[in-house]
Amino acid sequence: MEYRCKVTVIDKKHFPELQKQYCAVPDSGRCPCFNKGDEFIFYRNGERDDYWHMGAGTLTESGTPEERCLISPGTKHCGEPGVPFCSEAWDAISRYIYTALQGGSIMHGWTKDDRVMIACCNDGTRPVIFKIERLDIGD
């Protein structure tokens, strides 16, 4: 059995009052690295191992970009060829991706389907919310 992992951006939040209070750029806006509706597929087999490349090249469907996102040097649409996931997002969700790629239960007893997890990145002023799904691919 081969396992893949699908990651979908299901929402993005924005807390401007926290950005004004704490951020060096107080009008940063929503995260520019991901778009609501983005879909990523991670493979781990003899030909391809996306996990060790932090998601670079895994973007399979691009959501709609938002206006008013601060685009700065080093901030690109994550998952494009050569562009890995943002390090804060990767730190928050990589353990679930790895578990899914190994065929494990992502969150047994917490979610209705233990092949699915809902998680978000660590940016407290503009978090991105991800749906992470283990895909079971037949032999």
Side-chain angles (χ1 to χ4, degrees):
M1 175 80 71
E2 181 180 331
Y3 303 97
R4 295 183 190 150
C5 185
K6 179 179 179 183
V7 177
T8 305
V9 175
I10 59 174
D11 206 353
K12 292 170 54 171
K13 299 295 182 186
H14 178 219
F15 300 100
E17 69 282 0
L18 294 175
Q19 287 183 345
K20 286 178 186 162
Q21 186 175 358
Y22 295 105
C23 292
V25 181
D27 59 347
S28 300
R30 293 180 187 265
C31 173
C33 298
F34 298 99
N35 300 319
K36 189 174 177 180
D38 283 351
E39 291 184 359
F40 308 87
I41 302 290
F42 286 78
Y43 290 75
R44 188 157 201 224
N45 55 37
E47 299 166 17
R48 183 173 164 181
D49 191 346
D50 299 319
Y51 182 81
W52 298 111
H53 299 105
M54 291 179 54
T58 59
L59 182 68
T60 58
E61 185 171 323
S62 184
T64 305
E66 287 189 57
E67 293 181 21
R68 299 183 325 139
C69 289
L70 179 66
I71 305 296
S72 60
T75 304
K76 298 181 181 179
H77 191 179
C78 293
E80 293 177 350
V83 182
F85 270 46
C86 146
S87 60
E88 288 299 314
W90 186 251
D91 182 54
I93 68 173
S94 62
R95 70 195 82 200
Y96 305 119
I97 294 169
Y98 188 80
T99 300
L101 290 171
Q102 302 305 312
S105 170
I106 299 175
M107 193 49 76
H108 181 70
W110 179 249
T111 55
K112 292 178 183 178
D113 181 344
D114 66 1
R115 295 172 297 169
V116 177
M117 178 62 182
I118 304 300
C120 67
C121 76
N122 298 323
D123 187 334
T125 71
R126 57 184 188 180
V128 176
I129 302 170
F130 300 94
K131 178 181 178 184
I132 305 153
E133 303 173 81
R134 186 186 83 209
L135 304 176
D136 301 342
I137 309 302
D139 290 332

